[in-house]
Structure formats: structure tokens, C-alpha cells
Amino acid sequence: MKKSIGAKTLAFPTPTWVVGTYDMNGKPNAMTVAWAGICCSTPPCISISLRKATYSYAGIVENKAFTVNIPSEKHLMEADYFGIASGRDENKFELACLTPIRSELVPAPYVGEFPVVIECKLLHTIEIGLHTLFV
Amino acid sequence: MKKSIGAKTLAFPTPTWVVGTYDMNGKPNAMTVAWAGICCSTPPCISISLRKATYSYAGIVENKAFTVNIPSEKHLMEADYFGIASGRDENKFELACLTPIRSELVPAPYVGEFPVVIECKLLHTIEIGLHTLFV
């Protein structure tokens, strides 16, 4: 028997990905996103969804690039912090005691201490509603 | 020390979602996708990535709708089957002994036996490369 719970953004699993960007002054920033994933094989692409209000949004638009950093369990606390604070108010890398390293491939920083990083060039920007999809 | 493994579509976790569609003759079809996720809060949206070559692709373009069916562990085998066979060659619902139920909200079928279903109207079609992103 089907029971409606309405149109809600409930689905699982979601990843815990930390998006690395530079702001317009070149300050490295990091933000945790859960609405993200692979979206194409050729060219290999991932998509991430961000609200316009986030500080990272402007960084991606400015540099047309971002990194996706996948934390290990060891950095659970830092990944959580990156998801609740804003780079507009604080230097998140400094406060999390993590190292922003400039990517050699794209104008974006990655988290030196995380085991996996994906370096991304912005290919598409799709305005959906409150969130924007970056590919 | 950073070590490049090249541009590959490796990232985790990915969901196991079964996409339900009707083909141009109204035959229900189902296909398992792993490259999918929530992408907007307002309006609540999800995105799924499909290759043009899939039978479901044409069904989504035809009906501008699809369902996302989240299987329980019990239906692991069926979800796997939906991911390797093509609706072009066989009636997947019949062979999997699962029930296609017509959604009352969108022109697409959902899997009666699965615990969760999301009924989706197609809002955006973004051609990325080998895969197309449906929102």
C-alpha cells in the first residue's frame, strides 16, 4: 500500500565530499556537500549542487574550477565543520588545521591530508531552483 | 605525496536506484542506475545520468517522466538484473516477477514491491557527453 510523504529531498546514500575553491582574493575555501556524484563517463564528469548563497558558489563561478576531496573517517570532524561554517566568516582551512595545496591542473586548492582528490574544470552551470548544478 | 590515477569515473558511494519508464508503446521498463542523486531543494529535484543508447533514455524523452525506485536488500538480485539486461530485448518486469504500477502523478511505472518510490517530472535535459543528465 503506497503512502505519500510528499515531495521531499530524502534519498540515500549521499556522499560526503569536500569541495575546494579559491575566492576572488585567492583565499582557499572548502565546503562539504552531500548532493553530488558522477554524471558522465566520456568526458569523465561529476556534478555538485550548491546554493547561490554559499561562499563557494562565487569561487566556482570566478575560477571555473573546483576540487572534490574525499575524506577518510579520521577527518570526519573536519568534514562536518566544513559543512556548517562559511568561508565568508572564517578561514576554514586554518581553523581545521588542514593544508590547502594549489592544484597543478585547475585553479582550485585541494586538501593535502585527504586520501582522494578529484580536480575539476567547470563545464556546465545549470540553474535549477534554489540550487545550481555545476558539472 | 599525490599520485595521479588519471581522469576516471571512480567515486563513492553511489546509490542503487531503479528507474521506471514506459516505452513508446506503453510497455513498462526498469533500469538500474548508480550515477544519480538529489540536486535541488526548491523545487525538490533529483538527477540521473543515462547513455543515449539505453532503452530507458527514449522512454524518458517520450514521456518526460520517470520514477526512481529504491530497492531493499531483499531485491538485490532483481536490482542487479535491471542493470544488466535491456528492455529493448526483454520484458524486465515480467522476468523479474515484479509489478509495474502506473503512477497517478506522472506517466511512468513504479515497482510495486520496492519500499520507496520517487515520482519525477522531467524538468531539464543536459547533454554532457556520452551520458545525458535528466533533472
Side-chain angles (χ1 to χ4, degrees):
Chain A
M1 162 85 190
K2 191 178 159 215
K3 185 184 161 187
S4 173
I5 56 166
K8 299 214 172 73
T9 48
L10 293 174
F12 49 86
T14 56
T16 300
W17 283 358
V18 173
V19 172
T21 50
Y22 286 118
D23 73 2
M24 60 195 70
N25 301 314
K27 188 184 88 172
N29 188 28
M31 172 196 177
T32 302
V33 302
W35 295 356
I38 305 169
C39 67
C40 187
S41 58
T42 315
C45 292
I46 64 161
S47 67
I48 59 173
S49 289
L50 268 75
R51 284 177 300 116
K52 271 209 178 69
T54 61
Y55 198 57
S56 299
Y57 180 97
I60 294 174
V61 169
E62 174 85 12
N63 293 295
K64 301 193 183 343
F66 59 91
T67 64
V68 165
N69 303 267
I70 306 183
S72 57
E73 251 180 278
K74 199 168 62 177
H75 289 112
L76 178 67
M77 290 282 291
E78 288 85 348
D80 184 45
Y81 162 69
F82 280 149
I84 49 183
S86 171
R88 194 172 283 114
D89 310 317
E90 39 201 79
N91 186 323
K92 288 157 92 172
F93 270 101
E94 249 180 52
L95 282 169
C97 299
L98 291 175
T99 317
I101 300 181
R102 176 175 288 273
S103 162
E104 289 163 17
L105 303 174
V106 297
Y110 63 88
V111 184
E113 289 79 0
F114 285 11
V116 178
V117 55
I118 309 171
E119 295 154 290
C120 306
K121 246 188 320 195
L122 183 65
L123 295 183
H124 300 275
T125 302
I126 304 115
E127 304 290 348
I128 301 179
L130 190 56
H131 286 75
T132 300
L133 197 63
F134 290 118
V135 174
Chain B
M1 161 86 190
K2 193 180 159 213
K3 183 183 162 186
S4 174
I5 56 167
K8 299 215 173 71
T9 49
L10 295 173
F12 50 87
T14 57
T16 300
W17 283 358
V18 173
V19 172
T21 50
Y22 286 118
D23 74 1
M24 60 197 70
N25 302 314
K27 188 184 88 172
N29 189 28
M31 171 196 178
T32 302
V33 302
W35 295 355
I38 306 168
C39 67
C40 188
S41 57
T42 315
C45 292
I46 63 159
S47 67
I48 59 172
S49 289
L50 267 76
R51 283 176 303 115
K52 271 208 178 71
T54 62
Y55 197 57
S56 299
Y57 180 97
I60 294 175
V61 170
E62 174 85 13
N63 293 295
K64 301 194 182 347
F66 59 91
T67 65
V68 165
N69 303 267
I70 305 183
S72 58
E73 251 179 277
K74 199 166 63 176
H75 290 111
L76 178 68
M77 291 282 290
E78 288 85 347
D80 184 45
Y81 162 70
F82 281 150
I84 49 184
S86 171
R88 194 172 283 117
D89 311 316
E90 38 201 79
N91 187 322
K92 289 158 89 172
F93 270 101
E94 249 180 51
L95 282 167
C97 299
L98 291 175
T99 318
I101 301 181
R102 177 174 287 273
S103 161
E104 289 162 18
L105 303 174
V106 297
Y110 63 88
V111 184
E113 289 80 359
F114 285 10
V116 177
V117 55
I118 309 170
E119 296 153 291
C120 305
K121 245 189 318 194
L122 182 63
L123 295 184
H124 299 274
T125 302
I126 304 115
E127 304 291 349
I128 300 178
L130 190 57
H131 285 75
T132 300
L133 196 64
F134 290 119
V135 173

